[in-house]
Amino acid sequence: MQETKYITVIAGRRKTVINADTILYVIMRGKIAEIHISGGKIYETRMSLGEIEKQLGDRFLKVHRGCLVSAMAIHDISDKINLNNGESIEYPIRKKKHIIEKLRSEQKSIIDSFSNDGVPKTDEEYRRHYSSFDSLPFAFADIEMIFNDERHAVDWIFRYGNPALAKLENTPLEKLIGCSFGSLFSNMDSKWLRSYERATLYGETLEMIDYSPEIDKNIKIICFPTFKGHCGCILFDITEIEFIKNSDKTDMALNYYLISKTEKTDIE
């Protein structure tokens, strides 16, 4: 595995240290570099793209003269570069083949760097590792992502699930564990893949609230990285969760939860 890389910039008159793994892309606005971070934060610094490129290293693609994009943040490339967070970036179409080749090389390097050290090797080892999750009142799964030859996530395999997961999925655990989601649910909705891919490759913790056609339920999922190449998922049937308002500060907290994700920190 490559060591975590950090870059140092002056933003808002403060020296700020940024974890390179949290950077989605860098784009120049005149002489100002905008550093776009996972979660929506943007740092502005008076640095050249070349100076930032030297600090960031190989896993960032220069897609045009004024823009660097993290290979880990790219979901696919069409007439635009589509990122895992839903944003899209313009690029010169004449460079498409070169960018795709570079992206595949970098994503292969990322995926090949996944280490098996510490990863359970059998179903029994997974059960022992997650034994404290067995009695949780909500569903939990550890899933291993499946990538195709183009390094896109195309499916996942259930490596661990608790009894609450079997209840939510309406499928016995013995049929879930060791099987891919796509093999169990022919109507698999690919929308889940992008978030799981982000958690696995980018190390993000993400929340989704959406309808699941596979189990015909409205669900809430919190996914986060576990082992390399894996992510953990906490799942709720939202019809079984009752919301209560505890104080006059609840509305303020909800507003922050739903809208404000830009709290400033020195280290991302």
Side-chain angles (χ1 to χ4, degrees):
M1 290 293 297
Q2 288 195 355
E3 293 184 4
T4 301
K5 185 184 291 291
Y6 294 88
I7 69 168
T8 302
V9 301
I10 303 298
R13 299 183 180 180
R14 299 172 62 189
K15 181 180 288 188
T16 301
V17 179
I18 304 173
N19 182 343
D21 287 346
T22 69
I23 298 174
L24 299 174
Y25 61 95
V26 182
I27 192 163
M28 297 301 297
R29 307 292 186 192
K31 295 183 178 181
I32 301 298
E34 289 184 354
I35 303 174
H36 291 248
I37 303 296
S38 172
K41 185 178 292 185
I42 301 173
Y43 287 107
E44 294 184 353
T45 184
R46 189 174 286 274
M47 294 176 68
S48 71
L49 197 68
E51 290 173 313
I52 296 175
E53 187 175 14
K54 286 180 182 178
Q55 290 197 58
L56 288 177
D58 293 338
R59 292 193 175 182
F60 282 76
L61 282 61
K62 192 171 185 179
V63 300
H64 61 70
R65 187 166 55 184
C67 184
L68 294 170
V69 182
S70 168
M72 290 193 296
I74 297 175
H75 179 68
D76 61 32
I77 298 176
S78 55
D79 57 333
K80 295 182 180 180
I81 295 173
N82 303 306
L83 305 185
N84 289 328
N85 69 343
E87 290 187 70
S88 295
I89 294 174
E90 303 277 357
Y91 74 99
I93 294 296
R94 69 180 184 278
K95 296 182 67 176
K96 183 174 183 177
K97 182 178 179 180
H98 172 74
I99 292 173
I100 288 176
E101 289 176 351
K102 177 68 172 173
L103 173 64
R104 288 178 178 173
S105 173
E106 292 302 325
Q107 288 187 330
K108 182 179 187 299
S109 175
I110 293 166
I111 294 168
D112 288 349
S113 73
F114 290 163
S115 170
N116 289 324
D117 293 344
V119 179
K121 294 178 174 58
T122 65
D123 292 349
E124 180 57 35
E125 288 184 11
Y126 277 104
R127 285 195 296 270
R128 284 201 300 269
H129 181 82
Y130 286 117
S131 60
S132 61
F133 288 65
D134 289 342
S135 59
L136 291 176
F138 51 80
F140 173 79
D142 183 291
I143 61 176
E144 179 181 2
M145 301 306 297
I146 301 173
F147 296 90
N148 63 14
D149 291 340
E150 295 180 347
R151 315 301 164 184
H152 294 154
V154 293
D155 206 342
W156 64 86
I157 298 172
F158 289 101
R159 292 305 183 191
Y160 167 83
N162 63 4
L165 177 73
K167 179 182 176 182
L168 180 72
E169 302 283 0
N170 196 29
T171 304
L173 282 178
E174 55 266 27
K175 290 188 177 182
L176 287 172
I177 305 306
C179 294
S180 71
F181 189 81
S183 70
L184 295 168
F185 300 95
S186 59
N187 60 337
M188 174 184 177
D189 193 326
S190 62
K191 67 189 173 192
W192 312 115
L193 283 169
R194 179 173 290 197
S195 296
Y196 296 158
E197 186 181 64
R198 284 176 62 181
T200 300
L201 293 180
Y202 210 73
E204 293 182 279
T205 297
L206 303 168
E207 180 183 57
M208 298 165 280
I209 299 177
D210 212 326
Y211 172 70
S212 171
E214 301 92 346
I215 57 176
D216 191 26
K217 293 177 182 177
N218 293 305
I219 60 174
K220 170 180 173 177
I221 302 175
I222 299 172
C223 62
F224 50 91
T226 53
F227 304 107
K228 293 298 180 182
H230 293 233
C231 75
C233 300
I234 298 171
L235 307 94
F236 303 89
D237 179 344
I238 62 175
T239 64
E240 297 179 356
I241 302 175
E242 182 177 355
F243 176 78
I244 60 172
K245 186 173 181 178
N246 284 323
S247 73
D248 57 1
K249 300 293 186 181
T250 298
D251 290 339
M252 180 180 69
L254 279 173
N255 183 64
Y256 177 83
Y257 174 72
L258 295 171
I259 301 173
S260 177
K261 297 294 183 183
T262 57
E263 182 180 356
K264 293 183 178 180
T265 57
D266 286 339
I267 298 181
E268 286 296 322

